[in-house]
Amino acid sequence: MDNAGFCNETYESLHNPASDDELVDIAGATLDFSSTEDVPPLDPEYGYGNTGYSNGMTGNGVLMDLLDEPVPGVGTYEDFNTIDWVREKSKDRDRHREITSKSEQSTWALLHSISDAFSGWLLMLLIGLLSGALAGCIDISAHWLTDLKEGVCLSGFWFNHEHCCWGSNQTTFQERDKCPQWQSWAELLGGSSEGAAAYIVNYLMFMLCALLFSFLAVILVRAFAPYACGSGIPEIKTILSGFIIRGYLGKWTLIIKTITLVLAVSSGLSLGKEGPLVHVACCCANILCHLFTKYRQNEAKRREVLSAAAAVGVSVAFGAPIGGVLFSLEEVSYYFPLKTLWRSFFAALVAAFTLRSINPFGDSRLVLFYVEFHTPWHMVELVPFTLLGIFGGLWGALFIRANIAWCRRRKTTRLGHYPVLEVLVVTGITALLSFPNSYTRMSGSELISELFNDCSLLDSSQLCDYNSSENSNTLPDRPAGPGVYTALWQLALALFFKMLVTVVTFGMKVPSGLFIPSMAVGAIVGRLLGVAMEQMALNHHDWLIVKGWCSSGADCITPGLYAMVGAAASACLGGVTRMTISLVVIMFELTGGLEYIVPLMAAIMTSKWVADALGREGIYEAHIRLNGYPFLETKEEYGHKTLAQDVMRPRQSDPLLVVLTQEGMSVGEIEGVIADTDYSGFPVVVSQESQRLVGFVLRRDLVISLDNARKRQDGVVSASLVFFLEHVPPQPFSGPPVVKLRGILDLSPFTVTDHTPMAIAVDIFRKLGLRQCLVTHNGRLLGIITKKDILKHMAQMSNRDPDSILFN
């Protein structure tokens, strides 16, 4: 509970939060944890229930008790601190109990009770509508800017390539992507679309647009909202665990992330918009929470809403509302009660309907990659599907290690001092190398859709250039033509390019998601394996492994299915994030391929097992550790035999624990303790001699209450006595008034004995979301264990640097 830099605070200083511009960048530079907790401080009128204090005896002998007047700021949290889940839940129960008891007294109170109960559903409706609308705008804008790198629509510059050619009467089926209304930059500037000069013009304009988009993105992030960079999911996980990062879910972050996400995706960098959409949805939820008192004034309730918003983000990213709910439950949420499950589903459903109404893809479908395979899969194919899972696990583990090594180098070298230059250099190299290859030039979503495609007779793709007899109007028995072989080596080059550039791109100072690039890597490998299996079955249909289920002349292999399975196994899903159940649901919602659940399950489980064998952390947990966030992972087992006395402070060689007594200390003495220490809270004991525990008081509440006492009560001076008692003993009439602080005292702090196994203590911290736990022996206070102590101890026991956890 150390909290450096918070010694001589006043009430005013606590309510002057830094703006988003002043906050330190998270994704690359070392964080400054010099203050203490999460979202912007609650409204000034927010009190802590009946929290307050009273004067002592005044000159006329009247005890002035102001417990009914809430003290502004008491009960709130500072930036980069952890909330007290138990206290927040207790506050909500008290609030609900009070509303219920008053509902029987008047009609107005009954209506207030009904509106309070309905407010959660109304909030979910608003989050779904706003998130769906923003996602639709992002999809449409990104598609338009991506096409703008290659040309312009003469009938309306705001049309993308596809929409431009829809209304043309001169478009043929064979060349449905060409129409007179759409002109490339070479045609527009040079009058010709053929030849070396036209190619160079298109090449230069492609690179120029990519550099312009990425430059605008990184400049906007750097100037207005440093928290808008990166994926956002590691920070969302940390915030949902109870940590406070003020401004991370603010309005400026939402505005800048929405704009720069479009620019970053359109620049052609190897990143996706799906992860950042989770951050966008959570920003919407946090802002809308301020419309409802129940969520504005309670941090635990707010995190229930943010858990639902994470589901909304995946819902609008992939058109997968059910998968979004499971993603929030499996991957990001720390506390997920049953009512949050239902509200998450409702919000995700509203968001999906809103996105469907906007129809950003123009095909009246909600799914991003609709597939319609015409042949069933066979049991023998589970072998190559398992091989794809093994590749996914290996790639996931390799990617995590390589990306973390690169990000650590960025943090610890001069590279991190030039984020704008880094983005421009990576963008320039990406554009330079991707333009010559059609599979790297197209966007990640287009590439995946192309790889998932099941070739039909009318398909003009290179991947569908199969040789067929002159009289054949059917697809079976398809030997690969020259176009297929050309596409295969181009895909092989695209694979190595995507693997390398994605490692460098993820973590730069622009919004960057990992789903689509990782899916593209897996889809390429899957398509290559699928074509190889197809040709093997064609040329060697008499082999024993093929003979039983693939007869001569039969089209029994679907390369697109292999691409889909590979995308799931290798995506930022199976091998990279270690998702399982939610991934399967997302993939069948994403593609509409419900009958292919078994191959997906086989590949995904294999991918997770292989990746877990090489390293237990997913990419988000790895970035949480890299950035030093105080995140207590619920999936990590604690297998050591240490006791609470081994972890608690003070150690045997340390000074005695700093405590306050329930009576006898003056205002000046307590302010001296606050000035001389940097602890976030103080145990309150009966006396220094007995050390019998009474309760625990937070430093912030103590500072605000003492400052408020000096301002609002006449006669309070440094010599005024402070009491944490319910009934203040009689005081001399001639002395200064006393200050009663019973209201800010936590009378039921969690305690363990000094011989409690740390495995139990860790479970208590995880399941109850504690900030600190006091250690006693026969009722006598011995020490304190904080969340920071737990994390440092676990790091030390795992042979990691304990100081890497930058709690302060």
Side-chain angles (χ1 to χ4, degrees), residues 359-409:
N359 192 20
F361 307 118
D363 55 5
S364 299
R365 290 196 182 106
L366 186 61
V367 297
L368 190 58
F369 309 116
Y370 182 75
V371 297
E372 191 174 1
F373 301 136
H374 302 286
T375 56
W377 63 276
H378 303 273
M379 290 298 293
V380 179
E381 289 183 282
L382 286 177
V383 175
F385 293 154
T386 302
L387 292 178
L388 288 175
I390 294 174
F391 169 80
L394 294 173
W395 156 243
L398 174 64
F399 172 81
I400 292 172
R401 294 189 180 184
N403 179 253
I404 293 300
W406 178 257
C407 290
R408 184 175 288 111
R409 182 177 180 82

Side-chain angles (χ1 to χ4, degrees), residues 519-798:
M519 287 181 68
V521 169
I524 292 173
V525 174
R527 188 76 187 203
L528 293 175
L529 181 60
V531 173
M533 290 289 296
E534 180 187 48
Q535 297 307 303
M536 183 197 72
L538 169 68
N539 297 318
H540 305 283
H541 55 79
D542 56 341
W543 283 10
L544 183 62
I545 192 174
V546 180
K547 187 175 182 180
W549 55 278
C550 191
S551 58
S552 177
D555 179 27
C556 51
I557 299 290
T558 306
L561 173 60
Y562 284 75
M564 184 175 74
V565 174
S570 304
C572 172
L573 311 166
V576 179
T577 65
R578 318 296 164 84
M579 292 161 53
T580 52
I581 301 173
S582 55
L583 171 56
V584 173
V585 177
I586 287 174
M587 287 305 298
F588 86 71
E589 285 189 282
L590 189 65
T591 61
L594 186 61
E595 64 271 28
Y596 303 107
I597 285 183
V598 173
L600 288 173
M601 292 174 64
I604 289 169
M605 284 308 303
T606 304
S607 174
K608 177 175 173 57
W609 287 335
V610 172
D612 282 346
L614 299 175
R616 300 290 297 178
E617 284 185 329
I619 184 65
Y620 301 135
E621 291 79 10
H623 272 270
I624 286 174
R625 180 190 295 179
L626 176 68
N627 290 322
Y629 300 140
F631 181 74
L632 195 55
E633 177 59 66
T634 56
K635 303 173 186 176
E636 186 177 352
E637 293 293 334
Y638 185 88
H640 308 287
K641 296 182 179 181
T642 52
L643 302 177
Q645 63 183 5
D646 302 323
V647 181
M648 73 175 189
R649 290 180 297 160
R651 307 283 196 270
Q652 291 182 353
S653 58
D654 293 342
L656 294 177
L657 185 67
V658 177
V659 298
L660 306 178
T661 57
Q662 65 177 352
E663 58 179 314
M665 295 187 71
S666 67
V667 171
E669 289 175 335
I670 293 180
E671 288 177 340
V673 171
I674 293 173
D676 295 338
T677 62
D678 54 9
Y679 305 130
S680 292
F682 303 94
V684 178
V685 297
V686 174
S687 66
Q688 293 286 357
E689 295 75 22
S690 70
Q691 292 288 306
R692 297 290 177 179
L693 182 64
V694 176
F696 191 86
V697 61
L698 292 179
R699 174 197 192 92
R700 176 183 171 87
D701 293 352
L702 198 58
V703 170
I704 292 175
S705 297
L706 292 178
D707 188 70
N708 200 42
R710 287 182 176 272
K711 290 182 178 180
R712 295 175 59 184
Q713 302 304 314
D714 295 333
V716 173
V717 294
S718 296
S720 297
L721 296 180
V722 176
F723 289 89
F724 293 95
L725 299 173
E726 185 173 357
H727 302 289
V728 177
Q731 299 296 313
F733 285 94
S734 59
V738 303
V739 178
K740 183 180 176 183
L741 297 181
R742 176 80 170 188
I744 64 172
L745 182 64
D746 181 5
L747 295 171
S748 56
F750 274 84
T751 61
V752 295
T753 68
D754 51 342
H755 292 291
T756 301
M758 276 307 298
I760 296 177
V762 170
D763 276 342
I764 292 175
F765 271 83
R766 284 172 175 165
K767 295 176 180 178
L768 296 180
L770 299 183
R771 287 163 52 108
Q772 71 279 320
C773 183
L774 301 176
V775 182
T776 62
H777 179 76
N778 293 335
R780 188 174 183 272
L781 180 65
L782 291 184
I784 184 171
I785 299 176
T786 66
K787 188 176 182 180
K788 175 185 175 182
D789 297 326
I790 295 280
L791 291 166
K792 287 199 168 189
H793 177 70
M794 293 178 69
Q796 189 173 14
M797 299 302 289
S798 301

Side-chain angles (χ1 to χ4, degrees), residues 224-347:
F224 295 103
Y227 283 166
C229 66
S231 167
I233 294 182
E235 288 75 21
I236 296 297
K237 289 189 66 170
T238 308
I239 290 173
L240 288 178
S241 72
F243 196 58
I244 290 181
I245 308 176
R246 182 180 301 163
Y248 196 83
L249 302 177
K251 60 182 181 299
W252 272 111
T253 303
L254 172 62
I255 294 170
I256 298 302
K257 186 126 190 175
T258 302
I259 297 172
T260 55
L261 179 56
V262 173
L263 293 169
V265 171
S266 304
S267 68
L269 288 168
S270 184
L271 49 83
K273 61 181 180 295
E274 287 68 27
L277 277 175
V278 175
H279 188 186
V280 168
C282 287
C283 287
C284 295
N286 184 62
I287 294 170
L288 291 172
C289 276
H290 287 80
L291 301 177
F292 301 88
T293 305
K294 178 167 65 172
Y295 299 100
R296 182 177 68 245
Q297 296 183 355
N298 192 291
E299 297 292 349
K301 296 291 292 181
R302 195 198 301 253
R303 274 150 183 76
E304 293 179 16
V305 176
L306 294 179
S307 293
V312 170
V314 175
S315 175
V316 296
F318 294 110
I322 302 175
V325 175
L326 293 177
F327 171 82
S328 179
L329 176 62
E330 180 181 2
E331 185 61 27
V332 299
S333 293
Y334 196 85
Y335 174 67
F336 204 85
L338 185 60
K339 63 180 178 181
T340 302
L341 177 69
W342 287 108
R343 290 179 178 176
S344 300
F345 179 73
F346 173 70

